[in-house]
Amino acid sequence: MLRIAVPNKGSLSGPAGEMLHEAGYLQRKDSKELVLVDPENEVEFFYLRPRDIAIYVSSGRLDIGITGRDLLLDSGAGAEEILELGFARSTFRYATKPGTASGVEDFGGLTIATSYEGIVAKHLADNGIDASVVHLDGAVETAIELGVAQIIADVVETGTSLRNAGLAVIGEPILTSEAVVIRRTGADADDPKVEQFLRRLQGVLVARSYVMMDYDCRVEHLEQAVGLTPGLESPTVSPLHHEGWVAVRAMVPAKEAQRVMDDLYALGARAILTTAIHACRL
């Protein structure tokens, strides 16, 4: 069986479970379950702390895993990302009280508090900065107020908690993160079980990003209509019983669907319908 690590809690857990369910895999109904076997799909899921997943995958005990790019890089484990999943997006940045520093070039001799010591240490080294790094678990916003550090480095989504603590982000982002599928560095890149798993997840990503659009238009407007809805390869065009009209079907990016419908209507197209795509293989 393919052995897959899945986040057991936190911001990665819920979306990961939903994506796997949409991809046709069984998922646990009780959050206390640590292992779930999906015999029909020949997969065994292990629910682990997101921060530990890269370690397990790099050991070879598990074939692949879902975790955050930030957690993968911070672990220093021998694992690599093989697919971006598009959820749990965040930015990792430095923050401090206004006036303390304007960028990483001002960090020399200062202390930086973070839960991601590996990422910060590497970033400082890459920039030739001699600063101290102190590891703290959980929220680090109070580290400056309590005098533990002058700078913090943390995941920033909205920045609200930083502002509430009287802090402001400084410098360029250290990295941008999102949920990713990972495997052990050097693992067989052509493993058919892994390839099938990735195809399923890619199918979910496409299905979430596109809608199927159907409409009728006059033959003389077909080329213009197809220009608006080129599809992935090309649209399907079928003659209608009513002479001079054709039916067109094409995949359209979901975020552009309403604008495309407006443009088609202005062109003279009618019976314009959009439907969700639940699964696909491209």
Side-chain angles (χ1 to χ4, degrees), residues 226 229-237 249-251:
V226 168
T229 59
L232 296 185
E233 301 295 339
S234 64
T236 299
V237 179
R249 163 169 280 204
M251 290 175 65

PDB file of all heavy atoms in Angstrom, residues 226 229-237 249-251:
ATOM      1  N   VAL A 226     -15.483  31.339 -29.776  1.00  0.00           N
ATOM      2  CA  VAL A 226     -14.399  30.418 -29.434  1.00  0.00           C
ATOM      3  C   VAL A 226     -13.187  31.185 -28.908  1.00  0.00           C
ATOM      4  O   VAL A 226     -12.449  30.698 -28.045  1.00  0.00           O
ATOM      5  CB  VAL A 226     -14.024  29.563 -30.663  1.00  0.00           C
ATOM      6  CG1 VAL A 226     -12.717  28.819 -30.429  1.00  0.00           C
ATOM      7  CG2 VAL A 226     -15.143  28.574 -30.966  1.00  0.00           C
ATOM      8  N   THR A 229     -13.846  31.479 -25.357  1.00  0.00           N
ATOM      9  CA  THR A 229     -13.844  30.212 -24.626  1.00  0.00           C
ATOM     10  C   THR A 229     -12.999  29.177 -25.373  1.00  0.00           C
ATOM     11  O   THR A 229     -13.526  28.209 -25.921  1.00  0.00           O
ATOM     12  CB  THR A 229     -15.281  29.679 -24.446  1.00  0.00           C
ATOM     13  OG1 THR A 229     -15.867  29.492 -25.751  1.00  0.00           O
ATOM     14  CG2 THR A 229     -16.123  30.648 -23.641  1.00  0.00           C
ATOM     15  N   PRO A 230     -11.685  29.353 -25.386  1.00  0.00           N
ATOM     16  CA  PRO A 230     -10.833  28.431 -26.136  1.00  0.00           C
ATOM     17  C   PRO A 230     -10.730  27.041 -25.526  1.00  0.00           C
ATOM     18  O   PRO A 230     -10.300  26.098 -26.192  1.00  0.00           O
ATOM     19  CB  PRO A 230      -9.474  29.131 -26.124  1.00  0.00           C
ATOM     20  CG  PRO A 230      -9.500  29.973 -24.892  1.00  0.00           C
ATOM     21  CD  PRO A 230     -10.907  30.439 -24.752  1.00  0.00           C
ATOM     22  N   GLY A 231     -11.119  26.902 -24.243  1.00  0.00           N
ATOM     23  CA  GLY A 231     -11.003  25.614 -23.589  1.00  0.00           C
ATOM     24  C   GLY A 231      -9.555  25.234 -23.348  1.00  0.00           C
ATOM     25  O   GLY A 231      -8.648  26.051 -23.483  1.00  0.00           O
ATOM     26  N   LEU A 232      -9.316  23.974 -22.990  1.00  0.00           N
ATOM     27  CA  LEU A 232      -7.955  23.513 -22.744  1.00  0.00           C
ATOM     28  C   LEU A 232      -7.272  23.073 -24.034  1.00  0.00           C
ATOM     29  O   LEU A 232      -6.127  23.430 -24.291  1.00  0.00           O
ATOM     30  CB  LEU A 232      -7.969  22.365 -21.733  1.00  0.00           C
ATOM     31  CG  LEU A 232      -8.477  22.723 -20.327  1.00  0.00           C
ATOM     32  CD1 LEU A 232      -8.334  21.534 -19.405  1.00  0.00           C
ATOM     33  CD2 LEU A 232      -7.725  23.920 -19.758  1.00  0.00           C
ATOM     34  N   GLU A 233      -7.962  22.274 -24.828  1.00  0.00           N
ATOM     35  CA  GLU A 233      -7.457  21.906 -26.147  1.00  0.00           C
ATOM     36  C   GLU A 233      -8.187  22.755 -27.192  1.00  0.00           C
ATOM     37  O   GLU A 233      -7.596  23.544 -27.894  1.00  0.00           O
ATOM     38  CB  GLU A 233      -7.692  20.414 -26.405  1.00  0.00           C
ATOM     39  CG  GLU A 233      -7.032  19.495 -25.372  1.00  0.00           C
ATOM     40  CD  GLU A 233      -5.516  19.565 -25.393  1.00  0.00           C
ATOM     41  OE1 GLU A 233      -4.963  19.989 -26.414  1.00  0.00           O
ATOM     42  OE2 GLU A 233      -4.895  19.187 -24.376  1.00  0.00           O
ATOM     43  N   SER A 234      -9.482  22.552 -27.260  1.00  0.00           N
ATOM     44  CA  SER A 234     -10.379  23.381 -28.070  1.00  0.00           C
ATOM     45  C   SER A 234     -11.789  23.016 -27.637  1.00  0.00           C
ATOM     46  O   SER A 234     -12.018  21.934 -27.090  1.00  0.00           O
ATOM     47  CB  SER A 234     -10.185  23.112 -29.566  1.00  0.00           C
ATOM     48  OG  SER A 234     -10.548  21.780 -29.886  1.00  0.00           O
ATOM     49  N   PRO A 235     -12.757  23.903 -27.846  1.00  0.00           N
ATOM     50  CA  PRO A 235     -14.123  23.613 -27.401  1.00  0.00           C
ATOM     51  C   PRO A 235     -14.794  22.556 -28.273  1.00  0.00           C
ATOM     52  O   PRO A 235     -14.384  22.289 -29.410  1.00  0.00           O
ATOM     53  CB  PRO A 235     -14.820  24.969 -27.529  1.00  0.00           C
ATOM     54  CG  PRO A 235     -14.056  25.684 -28.582  1.00  0.00           C
ATOM     55  CD  PRO A 235     -12.632  25.238 -28.432  1.00  0.00           C
ATOM     56  N   THR A 236     -15.823  21.950 -27.706  1.00  0.00           N
ATOM     57  CA  THR A 236     -16.668  21.030 -28.467  1.00  0.00           C
ATOM     58  C   THR A 236     -17.770  21.841 -29.132  1.00  0.00           C
ATOM     59  O   THR A 236     -18.456  22.625 -28.470  1.00  0.00           O
ATOM     60  CB  THR A 236     -17.301  19.974 -27.548  1.00  0.00           C
ATOM     61  OG1 THR A 236     -16.254  19.223 -26.935  1.00  0.00           O
ATOM     62  CG2 THR A 236     -18.206  19.035 -28.332  1.00  0.00           C
ATOM     63  N   VAL A 237     -17.941  21.665 -30.448  1.00  0.00           N
ATOM     64  CA  VAL A 237     -18.955  22.415 -31.198  1.00  0.00           C
ATOM     65  C   VAL A 237     -19.868  21.403 -31.893  1.00  0.00           C
ATOM     66  O   VAL A 237     -19.394  20.518 -32.608  1.00  0.00           O
ATOM     67  CB  VAL A 237     -18.314  23.348 -32.244  1.00  0.00           C
ATOM     68  CG1 VAL A 237     -19.395  24.094 -33.016  1.00  0.00           C
ATOM     69  CG2 VAL A 237     -17.346  24.321 -31.562  1.00  0.00           C
ATOM     70  N   ARG A 249     -19.330  23.847 -26.010  1.00  0.00           N
ATOM     71  CA  ARG A 249     -18.985  23.446 -24.631  1.00  0.00           C
ATOM     72  C   ARG A 249     -17.486  23.602 -24.455  1.00  0.00           C
ATOM     73  O   ARG A 249     -16.692  23.147 -25.281  1.00  0.00           O
ATOM     74  CB  ARG A 249     -19.410  22.013 -24.352  1.00  0.00           C
ATOM     75  CG  ARG A 249     -18.747  21.394 -23.136  1.00  0.00           C
ATOM     76  CD  ARG A 249     -19.375  20.081 -22.731  1.00  0.00           C
ATOM     77  NE  ARG A 249     -20.593  20.319 -21.968  1.00  0.00           N
ATOM     78  CZ  ARG A 249     -21.101  19.433 -21.109  1.00  0.00           C
ATOM     79  NH1 ARG A 249     -20.534  18.253 -20.959  1.00  0.00           N
ATOM     80  NH2 ARG A 249     -22.206  19.713 -20.448  1.00  0.00           N
ATOM     81  N   ALA A 250     -17.087  24.263 -23.352  1.00  0.00           N
ATOM     82  CA  ALA A 250     -15.663  24.476 -23.088  1.00  0.00           C
ATOM     83  C   ALA A 250     -15.433  24.685 -21.603  1.00  0.00           C
ATOM     84  O   ALA A 250     -16.323  25.160 -20.882  1.00  0.00           O
ATOM     85  CB  ALA A 250     -15.144  25.689 -23.858  1.00  0.00           C
ATOM     86  N   MET A 251     -14.226  24.334 -21.138  1.00  0.00           N
ATOM     87  CA  MET A 251     -13.827  24.628 -19.765  1.00  0.00           C
ATOM     88  C   MET A 251     -13.344  26.071 -19.702  1.00  0.00           C
ATOM     89  O   MET A 251     -12.581  26.525 -20.560  1.00  0.00           O
ATOM     90  CB  MET A 251     -12.722  23.677 -19.313  1.00  0.00           C
ATOM     91  CG  MET A 251     -13.200  22.245 -19.118  1.00  0.00           C
ATOM     92  SD  MET A 251     -11.861  21.091 -18.709  1.00  0.00           S
ATOM     93  CE  MET A 251     -11.347  21.712 -17.100  1.00  0.00           C
TER      94      MET A 251
END
